[in-house]
Amino acid sequence: WDPASVDGSQVVAGILGMTKDVTTVDKNAAYVARQAEVNQAELYFPTGANAAVIAAGVAGLRALGIVPR
């Protein structure tokens, strides 16, 4: 998720289950796409994200049925 982009990556699509370096090659990974409850304290947001960016990310997750608590 990149809230500053305009290429589609600004739209929240789910939560990646682990950190993966995919800069040079595609890799398999698990992700949560919908209908889940997650610990918000365990979520990573972009470096320098302010309260508005975090709120937008949380709102995007909630729209998918993913509930950060």
Side-chain angles (χ1 to χ4, degrees), residues 15-66:
I15 299 172
L16 185 62
M18 65 216 66
T19 302
K20 290 281 187 170
D21 180 2
V22 294
T23 55
T24 59
V25 63
D26 290 341
K27 296 180 182 177
N28 292 328
Y31 74 99
V32 176
R34 64 183 183 277
Q35 304 305 319
E37 185 173 313
V38 298
N39 181 348
Q40 186 168 338
E42 296 295 325
L43 298 177
Y44 289 91
F45 291 93
T47 302
N50 60 27
V53 170
I54 292 170
V58 168
L61 291 173
R62 288 185 184 278
L64 297 171
I66 300 172

